[in-house]
Amino acid sequence: MNSLLPAHATVRHGICWMILSTACISCGNAVIPKVASDLHPFQIGFLTNAAIFLLVWPALRLPAPPQHRTRRIRLYVIAAAFGGFSNLSWFYGLAHVPLAEATAISFAAPIIVTACAGLLFGEQVHPLGWAAIFAGFLGVLLIVKPGFAVVDGGTIAVLLATVGMSGLYILSKQIMGVDSTRRAAAMMTLSPMLVGFLPAVWVWGLPSVATLVWIALIAGLMYTGRVTMLLAFRAAPASTVMQFDFARLPFSAAIAYFAFGEIPDAVAMAGAGLIIASCLVVGYRSGARPAALDP
């Protein structure tokens, strides 16, 4: 159907899908602190992933490519560790860190990926790219303020989640070379659910019916955000639509203000601006997706 439309129309559709995706993901993240007053974040993360898995599990019944079986299993095991670790850290962090600040820190993931590509894999990074990486690091410091403010467990959790996201991005590119998109998406939902099972059981509490409804809402918003993101990629180049992933920050800031009365710290917002500018430079230089995805 997209082939029947002018190129500029499909790009416009892709941008609209991406903005809708950022709105859904921001709203889903915003509900987590509300639910955290009733359940531990680890249990929220497990139940959310379990609800999403109910929607995607049929993809696991698709036949896997016969080749690269050993490599595929190894990649999924490593991805499960990164995904489970990142998911647990993200849900815990959102329960303790202002939403806008957590969202801003998460944008550092593509900067970390670019740095790893240069240092660990020998990929060429333009000097402007290294300058952007350094500026992004300064942006994270402005948000965290080490030495000037107490860096609590929630902030550390968000930082760890961002590192975990970076690992997932690196692994995802390799996984897409050995498995189908639908199976990979289902496996990437299954792994954090399995990894998060024991931590969730350890802190398990009996959720109320109202809490289960909120969790279903989180799962629905997150799933819709992922689907609309895929639709955005199908309609337009990823390097174009991912620029609009930064809409998560104003969405998150607005939701945090009107729903929780959180007023973003001016220094933290300056740091967020540095991170966003750095990601845009990295994305422009590499032609890659310049923004972070939600765990």
Side-chain angles (χ1 to χ4, degrees):
M1 180 176 178
N2 284 341
S3 61
L4 302 178
L5 296 173
H8 68 274
T10 58
V11 170
R12 187 165 60 246
H13 291 165
I15 291 172
C16 291
W17 281 123
M18 193 64 202
I19 292 175
L20 177 59
S21 173
T22 62
C24 290
I25 292 173
S26 299
C27 290
N29 285 333
V31 178
I32 294 173
K34 177 177 180 60
V35 182
S37 62
D38 186 38
L39 290 181
H40 194 281
F42 290 171
Q43 188 177 350
I44 299 171
F46 169 76
L47 291 175
T48 299
N49 283 305
I52 295 174
F53 185 69
L54 291 176
L55 300 172
V56 301
W57 73 268
L60 293 180
R61 301 170 61 183
L62 297 173
Q67 64 271 31
H68 307 300
R69 182 175 183 274
T70 301
R71 183 165 182 259
R72 183 167 58 248
I73 293 174
R74 182 171 66 251
L75 287 172
Y76 276 131
V77 169
I78 300 173
F82 273 100
F85 171 77
S86 176
N87 193 259
L88 290 171
S89 300
W90 180 250
F91 275 82
Y92 183 86
L94 281 183
H96 298 87
V97 175
L99 180 61
E101 292 186 17
T103 301
I105 293 174
S106 74
F107 287 137
I111 299 173
I112 296 174
V113 170
T114 303
C116 288
L119 296 175
L120 301 180
F121 306 121
E123 294 186 13
Q124 293 295 319
V125 179
H126 192 275
L128 185 59
W130 285 115
I133 291 170
F134 179 72
F137 177 70
L138 289 180
V140 172
L141 291 181
L142 285 176
I143 297 173
V144 177
K145 305 179 189 68
F148 298 94
V150 177
V151 181
D152 58 15
T155 301
I156 293 173
V158 173
L159 290 169
L160 292 176
T162 303
V163 173
M165 292 179 206
S166 306
L168 275 180
Y169 297 155
I170 295 171
L171 289 166
S172 295
K173 183 177 181 180
Q174 300 178 56
I175 288 173
M176 294 309 297
V178 297
D179 208 348
S180 67
T181 302
R182 289 185 62 193
R183 273 183 50 85
M187 287 295 295
M188 299 295 266
T189 301
L190 174 64
S191 57
M193 184 183 73
L194 295 178
V195 173
F197 175 71
L198 287 180
V201 169
W202 183 260
V203 296
W204 196 269
L206 184 63
S208 65
V209 174
T211 296
L212 290 176
V213 171
W214 282 115
I215 289 176
L217 177 62
I218 295 173
L221 288 167
M222 295 297 191
Y223 179 71
T224 303
R226 294 174 188 178
V227 171
T228 49
M229 185 176 291
L230 291 174
L231 291 172
F233 292 156
R234 182 180 299 173
S239 58
T240 298
V241 298
M242 280 307 294
Q243 309 292 335
F244 293 86
D245 183 53
F246 294 117
R248 280 195 293 126
L249 186 56
F251 274 130
S252 297
I255 293 170
Y257 176 76
F258 289 107
F260 307 112
E262 295 178 0
I263 300 177
D265 178 86
V267 176
M269 288 299 97
L274 261 180
I275 294 173
I276 290 175
S278 302
C279 289
L280 290 173
V281 170
V282 167
Y284 174 76
R285 292 300 315 177
S286 65
R289 289 165 31 173
L293 300 181
D294 192 71

